[in-house]
Amino acid sequence: MTRRDAAPVATGSPAGSAGHRLGRALFGQRARRRWLHLILGGALFMPYWLVGTLVMGPLMDGGSMFGSSLAVQFGAYGAGLPLAALTALFPLTRPMSVAAARALCGVAPGRFAEGPARGRDARARTAGWFTLHLGAGALVSGASLALPPFALAVAALPFSAGLRESEVGRFWHLDGPWLAWAGLPLGILMLLGLAGAAAAAGSLLASAAPRLLGPSPADRLAAAERRAADLAVRNRLARELHDSVGHALSAVTLQAGAARRVLDGGTPDLGFVREALTAIEETTRRSVGELDSVLGLLRSGEDDGELAAPGLDALAALVRGAGPRVALTVRGDLAGLPEAVSREAYRIVQEGLTNAVRYARDETVTARIALSGDELEITMENPLPGTAPVARPDGGRGLRGVAERARLLGGTAEAGPVDGRWRLAARLPVGPAGGAR
């Protein structure tokens, strides 16, 4: 047979694919989860239905609460729905409803609101969802309990003379030997109808869930504020990492380079080399501790955690780690500074030393810290041998961090070339404005 004579192979017929889609719509995993969600709503409606039967039973026929009157049953159903709506006004109803709908309704999780319902609009929409869920769930649950046994009995009429002679056969007029065979397709159609009703109710709830349980404008604003606070914390931690690790790497590089040059000389100064190695050891040990603190906060996800950053009491070790060509002058008692001011001042000095020793090379860097009244002044200068470092338009990450730290404390900071020298100057208030953070 040639290729032209070969008959095309059918990969599937439209009827088959339509039947497959119908089967998935009625009995697929999503349909089964939505059916379970409706059954859950029916179970939650039971207390309201019981209260409704206590009220409607005596009013309608004076019978017991479990009487067989359909009027009493549907009257209790109608009385229970307003009660469910009232109890749904409590704020915690929305988190429970969202948890169930997110797991069983087949709706994208991001389309639901988070947290309790606050505000009149959010509570009203939650009450509408709760009432719809329990009302539809009660109907589907009742049908799921009552209809399958009856449908199976009808479908079994052709095979059981006793069933044909019972009330089931007489009610449907299927007690004849030939008419009884109509019970088989009729019972199957009833089961399919129940599955279709449950799928339709589940689809209705899934389409209503984003509108009734979705975020309100107040929820979106609260979520934006949480994200902004989260970003602020992470930016602060990133700034701490930049200042701490950046300074440590710069200081270690400079100290190691200076020690190597001394060892390469004709008469190495072993005392200088020992001092450089000691500075490298202290700098790396301190930076590893700060790095571990930052990573611990990131792993724990603590938004309100405080980084255990050093203060000006560690200034001597910082200057010693920066190298021997740093002249430090301190005026005033720095021990009484507020913790926030001491911590941020330390970081500002650290960033200033990092830049200064990088560009000053073998020249002396001067650092002056003076406490005058209610203001702490920090000034760092170094010569600019050769070509001055180009100040980037954005100021660089380190200088931006210095400006941010000073601004958060209510102070000011500026950096740039002045009379052939590079100067970093910061003023930090140490009163109430600077002490609060």
Side-chain angles (χ1 to χ4, degrees):
M1 180 182 293
T2 62
R3 174 180 292 273
R4 185 171 52 189
D5 296 330
V9 178
T11 58
S13 64
S17 60
H20 179 67
R21 288 196 298 271
L22 179 61
R24 288 186 59 187
L26 295 181
F27 304 107
Q29 182 181 19
R30 184 171 63 180
R32 295 196 303 270
R33 287 192 175 189
R34 289 177 177 176
W35 201 332
L36 180 60
H37 186 243
L38 289 164
I39 298 297
L40 176 62
L44 292 175
F45 188 71
M46 281 298 297
Y48 305 102
W49 178 80
L50 292 174
V51 173
T53 56
L54 289 174
V55 175
M56 302 304 297
L59 292 178
M60 300 187 70
D61 62 3
S64 66
M65 62 181 294
F66 296 106
S68 60
S69 171
L70 287 177
V72 175
Q73 306 301 320
F74 280 102
Y77 174 81
L81 291 178
L83 295 176
L86 286 176
T87 57
L89 295 176
F90 290 100
L92 291 179
T93 303
R94 188 171 72 174
M96 295 186 296
S97 299
V98 166
R102 182 183 282 127
L104 299 173
C105 269
V107 181
R111 303 186 67 182
F112 291 105
E114 299 291 342
R118 295 183 177 87
R120 183 178 303 174
D121 175 67
R123 287 189 179 130
R125 290 190 293 120
T126 303
W129 164 265
F130 192 71
T131 306
L132 178 62
H133 178 207
L134 268 62
L139 295 177
V140 172
S141 298
S144 299
L145 289 174
L147 189 59
F150 181 74
L152 291 176
V154 172
L157 285 175
F159 312 103
S160 174
L163 284 175
R164 289 195 298 270
E165 296 172 359
S166 66
E167 293 184 2
V168 175
R170 290 194 299 269
F171 179 80
W172 291 88
H173 303 288
L174 299 176
D175 48 354
W178 292 103
L179 292 176
W181 285 100
L184 181 60
L186 188 60
I188 295 175
L189 286 176
M190 282 191 286
L191 293 176
L192 290 176
L194 174 61
S203 179
L204 172 65
L205 286 178
S207 62
R211 293 193 295 271
L212 298 179
L213 293 179
S216 64
D219 294 324
R220 293 189 180 95
L221 179 60
E225 291 175 349
R226 287 194 299 270
R227 288 194 296 270
D230 217 16
L231 287 175
V233 171
R234 293 186 177 275
N235 286 338
R236 179 172 63 84
L237 295 178
R239 189 171 63 227
E240 297 288 347
L241 275 178
H242 170 269
D243 292 349
S244 175
V245 177
H247 168 77
L249 291 177
S250 298
V252 167
T253 301
L254 291 172
Q255 293 283 10
R260 179 185 54 80
R261 288 194 298 271
V262 169
L263 290 176
D264 290 342
T267 55
D269 186 353
L270 296 182
F272 179 88
V273 174
R274 185 179 296 107
E275 183 180 351
L277 292 176
T278 301
I280 291 174
E281 180 183 4
E282 292 181 356
T283 302
T284 53
R285 183 184 296 112
R286 183 176 64 251
S287 299
V288 166
E290 295 178 18
L291 179 62
D292 183 68
S293 177
V294 172
L295 293 179
L297 288 178
L298 288 175
R299 282 193 295 266
S300 64
E302 295 177 0
D303 291 346
D304 56 350
E306 280 294 332
L307 179 66
L312 288 180
D313 52 343
L315 193 60
L318 178 66
V319 172
R320 188 166 57 250
R325 298 186 180 278
V326 177
L328 173 65
T329 304
V330 178
R331 294 205 311 268
D333 182 14
L334 305 182
L337 288 175
E339 181 182 354
V341 176
S342 179
R343 183 176 64 246
E344 302 305 330
Y346 176 90
R347 290 303 191 198
I348 291 174
V349 173
Q350 185 181 57
E351 178 60 31
L353 286 178
T354 300
N355 289 330
V357 297
R358 181 185 303 159
Y359 295 116
R361 302 188 186 277
D362 294 332
E363 301 292 333
T364 301
V365 176
T366 59
R368 295 188 296 274
I369 302 176
L371 179 59
S372 174
D374 58 354
E375 190 174 65
L376 180 68
E377 298 180 7
I378 300 173
T379 306
M380 308 190 67
E381 293 184 356
N382 61 275
L384 295 175
T387 304
V390 179
R392 289 180 285 177
D394 62 356
R397 292 189 184 90
L399 295 181
R400 279 207 309 270
V402 168
E404 290 172 3
R405 292 178 187 279
R407 187 168 56 250
L408 286 174
L409 293 175
T412 59
E414 55 184 16
V418 178
D419 298 332
R421 298 174 66 85
W422 183 268
R423 175 182 297 173
L424 169 65
R427 295 175 178 269
L428 308 178
V430 298
R437 178 122 185 239

